[in-house]
Amino acid sequence: MDEFLRILTQSLGEILAPTTAAMAIAAIGLNLHFGYTGLLNMGQAGFMLLGAYGFGITLTLGGPIWLAFLIAVAAGVMFALLLGMPTLQLRGDYLAIVTISAAEIVRWFGRSTLWQEWTGGASGLQGRYFKDPFHALSFLPEGRFALGPFEYINTGSDSWFTRIFAWGLVALLLLFVWLITRSPWGRVLKGIREDEDAVRALGKNVYSYKLQALVIGGAIGALGGVVYAIPTAISPDAMGGRTMTFFVWTILLLGGAATVFGPVLGSMIFFTAYMFMRTGMRTLSEDTALGNFISTTQVEFIGGMLVGITLMCLVIFRPQGILGNKKELAFNVR
Amino acid sequence: MSVDETTTAARSEALAHVAHKPGAAKNDPILKADHVVRRFGGMTAVDVDHLEVQEGVITALIGPNGAGKTTLFNLLTGFDTPNTGEWSFQGHSLSGKSGAAVAKAGVVRTFQLTKALGRLTVLQNMLLASPNNPGEKLGLSWLPFLWKRHEAEATEKAMEILARFKLDAKAADYAGSLSGGQRKLLEMARALMTDPTMIMLDEPMAGVNPALVQSLLGHVQALRDEGMTVLFVEHDMHAVRHISDWVVVMAEGRIVAEGPPSTVMKDQAVVDAYLGAHHDTDLGDDALLDPEVLARLEAEEEKR
Ligand SMILES: Nc1ncnc2c1ncn2[C@@H]1O[C@H](COP(=O)(O)OP(=O)(O)OP(=O)(O)O)[C@@H](O)[C@H]1O
Ligand SMILES: [Mg+2]
């Protein structure tokens, strides 16, 4: 029982974890791409990794923190322009192919020895190189604080300050996305998602709208990467990999694409369930006869597999996600 | 003489002296196309040497299936690129312009395969078409007080147009839940939201019930009487006969005949185009309008 409570607490701790916020941010960006505009960005992890590098490298080189954020966002914007300008004229599938490969290229450049001096190569950038300026922003007093079973230091990697900052940013981005998407501008995006030729025939410059959506969503994705890196480190394989992209997709589809709170709810549920599953299985594997069949090392693989299965089931059985509108589905059988 | 009769008289006057031949010059051509050729592989879908569309009248574009009508529409409205050719609208060249640019210039088209925006409501479909909405600029989108007024005015106008098309009761429904015919209507209504100078309709009556077709035809005539230029593709000869002031006939990518609806159907080239194999069949006046003749021809076709 104690064991179970420990697992439960640890899982519920994920609800407010900084990485949960980071992935929610990445999903908010992807929501603008896919949920509102119908753009198939299969490389959100690439945006995240670039954002994290922009942030980390600027700070490592001694730049001020505002510049670090600015460069992270700029990296996302440039990447979006680079990928979008040649492909958004073409059919949607091309963007998917280009983004998935471009994200891989970013990861391979990151882990190569080419710019090791700055990127740290395959082992990435340790948090200690860029965390101090961020922690210096903290307005919290020294010490620890406990909220029920959740106790963290006030300022540090896995701290209250990191949480406040991360979720504050989530709230700000939600407000921003809500404001721009409920407008006529957002309506044009949704029109493009449904049928871009129809929108073109009404005199709208579809290409420009798609590019705007890609850039904003990409910049938000880059910020997600920054928030992800702050409590952990910048590791090209962990953050820039395809797994990361599919986690973001799962989160978005779980919560509900084209809904404002979908990405946040999706991220919270995803990480809580993911943690519960992994720690639960690990404990079972260590303490019970199950260990004979599933070793603790296999737990990670099974966890990843289950995420894949969840994504498949979601797409098949509830494509509108938790917050999605059921009425839309009644006719949307394509 | 009522206003209506005056305009009717003016219209027949405008077309009275136009030659009944392919590529005939019009008095006030609003749209002019030259040497427009579109090939798909080895097959020439469109090969229009010269076409002029008279301003302020209803022109019908007819022709058998595969004649190239839709392809010509796509070319003229920037949804396809020709192998050669140039065309202009109100004297300004439109060749090579994007679909959006053509629409902004005042030529709005509808699609043969309707494009209702499914996961938007009927009203949102309409509002999307409203031109120059300040809220469609990203920079202003988050400041509702800058675009609320435009929205309110557009909504009022949209509801008016929807009422004309008997869609006002559906305003809050998703467009994806409309029937095929209702989508046709919505698409036409949406096109009108843009205040076009010229509207190009690709089979607007296909799948619309006969009672509504009658009133639709009335609307189209009303649009013309307000000064809009209408070019429409239609297979329903009754509709063509009923409302068009001028008919252009296409076959195998070329324009084979032009003329007023009352006479063009009798043109030998038109008869050939439609009935290729039946040269020997006697086609009286309005033969193409006569269901009996058509039924007989169909039967003959089956026997062959
Ligand atoms: N994208 C395409 N690729 C290849 N061939 C095409 C394409 N679009 C049209 N065609 C061909 O061009 C010819 C003209 O087609 P189009 O759609 O313009 O005919 P239409 O006059 O609109 O016919 P309908 O009355 O049946 O709508 C047809 O033979 C068609 O097969
Ligand atoms: Mg056609």
Side-chain angles (χ1 to χ4, degrees):
Chain A
M1 195 60 212
D2 276 1
E3 192 72 335
F4 179 72
L5 270 182
R6 187 185 63 78
I7 296 173
L8 195 67
T9 321
Q10 196 180 348
S11 306
L12 290 179
E14 288 290 294
I15 292 180
L16 286 186
T19 41
T20 307
M23 292 297 269
I25 293 173
I28 290 171
L30 185 64
N31 196 17
L32 213 49
H33 293 157
F34 176 72
Y36 289 101
T37 324
L39 300 176
L40 288 170
N41 170 12
M42 289 291 167
Q44 190 68 329
F47 286 92
M48 294 175 72
L49 185 58
L50 269 181
Y53 275 137
F55 182 78
I57 294 172
T58 310
L59 289 182
T60 315
L61 295 178
I65 191 144
W66 60 264
L67 185 67
F69 277 107
L70 201 71
I71 287 189
V73 170
V77 170
M78 296 302 287
F79 197 46
L81 289 175
L82 191 71
L83 300 187
M85 291 214 286
T87 54
L88 289 178
Q89 308 261 26
L90 309 171
R91 245 185 28 220
D93 335 24
Y94 291 96
L95 181 69
I97 299 166
V98 166
T99 45
I100 198 169
S101 26
E104 279 296 282
I105 293 171
V106 171
R107 182 170 75 89
W108 279 100
F109 267 122
R111 71 197 306 287
S112 78
T113 47
L114 195 57
W115 294 312
Q116 199 167 18
E117 200 183 326
W118 298 287
T119 61
S123 49
L125 278 179
Q126 301 285 302
R128 61 192 150 91
Y129 293 121
F130 58 83
K131 275 176 187 172
D132 290 340
F134 175 73
H135 295 154
L137 294 178
S138 176
F139 46 82
L140 297 175
E142 289 286 302
R144 306 175 71 79
F145 177 74
L147 188 77
F150 307 113
E151 187 184 337
Y152 311 103
I153 47 169
N154 283 345
T155 302
S157 284
D158 187 25
S159 68
W160 284 110
F161 176 68
T162 314
R163 281 173 175 71
I164 291 171
F165 174 81
W167 289 102
L169 189 60
V170 169
L172 212 66
L173 290 172
L174 281 185
L175 179 72
F176 172 68
V177 168
W178 176 71
L179 280 173
I180 59 173
T181 54
R182 69 172 181 149
S183 71
W185 183 81
R187 193 169 54 211
V188 178
L189 295 194
K190 289 180 205 160
I192 292 171
R193 175 189 71 192
E194 298 304 305
D195 192 322
E196 56 177 82
D197 273 345
V199 177
R200 210 169 270 137
L202 297 172
K204 321 280 176 203
N205 187 344
V206 167
Y207 175 69
S208 147
Y209 280 98
K210 290 206 282 192
L211 202 56
Q212 289 171 31
L214 190 70
V215 164
I216 298 172
I220 294 176
L223 280 176
V226 172
V227 174
Y228 196 90
I230 283 173
T232 55
I234 302 174
S235 140
D237 289 333
M239 195 193 294
R242 281 148 296 179
T243 318
M244 196 71 158
T245 295
F246 289 115
F247 277 13
V248 181
W249 272 94
T250 309
I251 286 167
L252 178 63
L253 295 177
L254 182 66
T259 63
V260 173
F261 288 102
V264 175
L265 189 71
S267 188
M268 287 175 167
I269 294 175
F270 176 83
F271 278 106
T272 309
Y274 191 50
M275 177 63 86
F276 185 77
M277 194 174 67
R278 281 184 311 159
T279 45
M281 276 201 299
R282 202 177 298 126
T283 315
L284 284 179
S285 158
E286 273 163 8
D287 302 350
T288 69
L290 193 71
N292 299 333
F293 305 105
I294 303 172
S295 69
T296 41
T297 46
Q298 284 169 335
V299 165
E300 285 300 319
F301 297 114
I302 296 177
M305 241 167 60
L306 287 177
V307 172
I309 295 174
T310 315
L311 183 58
M312 277 163 58
C313 291
L314 263 174
V315 173
I316 296 168
F317 297 111
R318 203 176 162 88
Q320 82 275 39
I322 294 171
L323 295 179
N325 181 343
K326 190 124 192 227
K327 232 170 86 191
E328 286 186 359
L329 268 196
F331 54 81
N332 197 37
V333 272
R334 325 188 241 181
Chain B
M1 221 157 109
S2 76
V3 178
D4 205 34
E5 277 163 12
T6 328
T7 52
T8 313
R11 243 182 354 257
S12 20
E13 183 62 25
L15 289 165
H17 305 292
V18 174
H20 297 186
K21 64 170 211 284
K26 310 289 185 304
N27 289 355
D28 325 283
I30 193 167
L31 182 82
K32 274 192 192 181
D34 281 293
H35 316 294
V36 179
V37 176
R38 175 66 165 115
R39 290 189 202 90
F40 292 110
M43 182 264 192
T44 305
V46 167
D47 182 359
V48 169
D49 215 37
H50 185 73
L51 172 67
E52 295 187 5
V53 177
Q54 168 73 19
E55 181 169 7
V57 306
I58 301 177
T59 305
L61 180 61
I62 66 169
N65 291 120
K69 306 179 295 289
T70 299
T71 309
L72 180 61
F73 261 38
N74 288 345
L75 294 170
L76 295 181
T77 52
F79 282 82
D80 194 1
T81 326
N83 296 82
T84 66
E86 57 271 348
W87 57 97
S88 62
F89 178 71
Q90 290 179 323
H92 303 286
S93 168
L94 279 188
S95 10
K97 291 269 168 65
S98 72
V102 172
K104 278 202 192 108
V107 186
V108 174
R109 57 89 54 97
T110 66
F111 295 87
Q112 180 171 5
L113 301 171
T114 34
K115 295 185 183 297
L117 305 170
R119 283 187 287 168
L120 295 186
T121 66
V122 168
L123 182 60
Q124 283 174 329
N125 264 269
M126 296 292 285
L127 294 178
L128 181 65
S130 171
N132 306 323
N133 189 335
E136 283 179 3
K137 292 200 178 69
L138 176 59
L140 310 181
S141 65
W142 54 289
L143 302 167
F145 62 90
L146 289 179
W147 44 262
K148 271 273 146 54
R149 234 193 64 215
H150 183 103
E151 283 286 281
E153 285 166 8
T155 307
E156 200 172 309
K157 179 169 153 199
M159 290 310 293
E160 233 172 74
I161 299 177
L162 284 177
R164 258 203 258 170
F165 287 83
K166 306 259 183 303
L167 281 174
D168 45 340
K170 293 260 174 202
D173 291 6
Y174 280 111
S177 70
L178 295 182
S179 75
Q182 287 169 332
R183 285 171 199 225
K184 278 261 152 185
L185 296 177
L186 173 59
E187 208 180 338
M188 199 166 148
R190 196 174 59 195
L192 292 182
M193 266 307 273
T194 62
D195 292 325
T197 315
M198 173 168 172
I199 187 165
M200 294 174 59
L201 308 167
D202 200 345
E203 303 199 16
M205 317 292 169
V208 177
N209 84 62
L212 204 46
V213 165
Q214 277 305 320
S215 77
L216 264 186
L217 294 180
H219 291 320
V220 174
Q221 282 176 311
L223 292 176
R224 171 199 55 197
D225 295 340
E226 287 163 20
M228 207 179 284
T229 306
V230 182
L231 178 65
F232 78 115
V233 171
E234 190 52 66
H235 285 299
D236 178 352
M237 293 300 166
H238 288 285
V240 171
R241 178 70 188 262
H242 188 61
I243 63 165
S244 54
D245 304 302
W246 193 255
V247 180
V248 176
V249 188
M250 270 183 96
E252 292 171 4
R254 299 171 169 280
I255 293 176
V256 294
E258 279 193 43
S262 52
T263 60
V264 77
M265 313 276 184
K266 285 179 248 168
D267 192 307
Q268 190 56 41
V270 179
V271 175
D272 288 352
Y274 268 90
L275 311 163
H278 304 277
H279 282 268
D280 44 349
T281 317
D282 175 39
L283 294 159
D285 276 7
D286 286 351
L288 288 171
L289 287 172
D290 188 345
E292 263 173 50
V293 175
L294 287 175
R296 201 177 75 231
L297 290 167
E298 233 165 75
E300 271 177 36
E301 184 71 42
E302 258 160 44
K303 255 186 277 158
R304 285 159 57 88

